[in-house]
Amino acid sequence: MSESKAEPVVVRQLFEKESWTYTYIVGCPTTKKCCLIDPVDLTWERDLAVVDKMGYKLEYCLNTHVHADHITGSGLIKKARSEVKSVISEASGAIADIKLKDKGEIKVGNVTIAVRATPGHTPGCVTYVVGGGQPTVAFCGDTLLINGCGRTDFQGGNPAQLYDSCHKQLFSLPDTCLLYPAHDYNGLTVTTVGEEKKSNPRLTKTKEDFVALMKKKFDGSNYPKKLDASLPANMGCGFPLPVEKKAN
């Protein structure tokens, strides 16, 4: 008996130029339902306009992690469309309607999005994988970038953990699986597992050499310029949490 084919999926890649962030629309062409992955506060209206033009109904806003270089657009989208649910990993510690764990999943129409925990850039990083038993597309956030990877010198980053996440959780996907990152600074848009396994200049190193490189390259200086605003806002789904009153 032949294995059933995965439900077709629609992917649209959108770009936010200030933080060089990619936002993704992932949709089910059968039910016309979709989600957004890593929306940005500066372009949330654009995102909704594209969804509407496609004729899809937005159900979820997924974040791959608590971002440090921009504020998520999830909260603004939820204000505009109250039926939309926000999604993030439980390990992130952030506020969301739905909190996911490793090996969890979320359904968008007939499309199943599987969750793989990929900590290292931050403790709460996850990768969203589409394709069922034959994964075809993965949205890896800042865990793996095209010819690179996310930094590990703040937000609880850990280079050894990041190396393991890439090699065990991402490089275990089929070589043909497309990898869509949260950022690119060189005009590139997509890569594959096979390409990164073969030629990623950081991740082709031994684990020991990778850790040494990351500690030297990212030494805790030169933080993202929006970090002070982004982190507290993103812990609150796009809005800073109220400061708790100190006990007398």
Side-chain angles (χ1 to χ4, degrees):
M1 190 172 177
S2 61
E3 184 176 340
S4 61
K5 293 183 179 180
E7 178 72 18
V9 62
V10 170
V11 175
R12 294 289 183 271
Q13 185 180 52
L14 308 174
F15 183 64
E16 193 284 299
K17 62 183 180 180
E18 185 172 311
S19 61
W20 300 74
T21 297
Y22 287 127
T23 295
Y24 299 94
I25 300 171
V26 180
C28 170
T30 303
T31 64
K32 298 295 184 180
K33 295 178 180 179
C34 72
C35 70
L36 282 167
I37 297 178
D38 289 336
V40 181
D41 65 337
L42 299 179
T43 45
W44 69 273
E45 291 173 301
R46 185 259 338 249
D47 297 348
L48 291 182
V50 175
V51 168
D52 292 344
K53 185 177 180 181
M54 291 171 62
Y56 278 65
K57 178 176 176 58
L58 181 64
E59 291 195 314
Y60 304 105
C61 288
L62 284 64
N63 278 285
T64 54
H65 63 293
V66 173
H67 301 275
D69 53 9
H70 69 269
I71 295 174
T72 178
S74 297
L76 292 169
I77 290 170
K78 281 170 52 63
K79 278 195 167 185
R81 300 190 179 179
S82 60
E83 72 276 10
V84 176
K85 304 297 184 184
S86 58
V87 182
I88 201 166
S89 74
E90 185 176 274
S92 71
I95 286 177
D97 297 309
I98 300 171
K99 297 182 181 181
L100 298 171
K101 296 181 179 180
D102 184 43
K103 298 182 175 64
E105 62 181 38
I106 191 162
K107 293 276 288 186
V108 179
N110 297 330
V111 173
T112 299
I113 300 176
V115 181
R116 292 195 177 202
T118 48
H121 172 61
T122 75
C125 286
V126 294
T127 293
Y128 297 114
V129 182
V130 177
Q134 297 289 327
T136 56
V137 181
F139 302 90
C140 48
D142 287 16
T143 297
L144 185 146
L145 305 178
I146 301 172
N147 298 318
C149 62
R151 59 194 293 178
T152 55
D153 56 336
F154 62 93
Q155 279 186 276
N158 183 314
Q161 195 175 43
L162 179 61
Y163 188 90
D164 287 341
S165 289
C166 290
H167 280 264
K168 295 177 181 179
Q169 293 282 58
L170 299 184
F171 290 173
S172 60
L173 294 166
D175 283 355
T176 55
C177 182
L178 299 176
L179 295 176
Y180 284 105
H183 305 279
D184 187 82
Y185 308 98
N186 299 297
L188 303 175
T189 57
V190 64
T191 186
T192 67
V193 170
E195 289 175 73
E196 296 305 314
K197 284 166 65 174
K198 181 180 179 180
S199 60
N200 187 297
R202 296 180 190 173
L203 294 166
T204 49
K205 296 181 181 295
T206 66
K207 184 175 180 179
E208 182 180 10
D209 288 345
F210 174 82
V211 170
L213 170 70
M214 295 297 286
K215 287 183 176 180
K216 181 178 180 180
K217 186 173 181 65
F218 301 106
D219 60 0
S221 62
N222 192 30
Y223 281 177
K225 63 181 181 180
K226 282 194 170 184
L227 182 144
D228 290 340
S230 297
L231 287 186
N234 289 335
M235 291 299 291
C237 195
F239 304 105
L241 297 172
V243 178
E244 292 184 4
K245 294 181 179 180
K246 294 182 179 180
N248 294 329

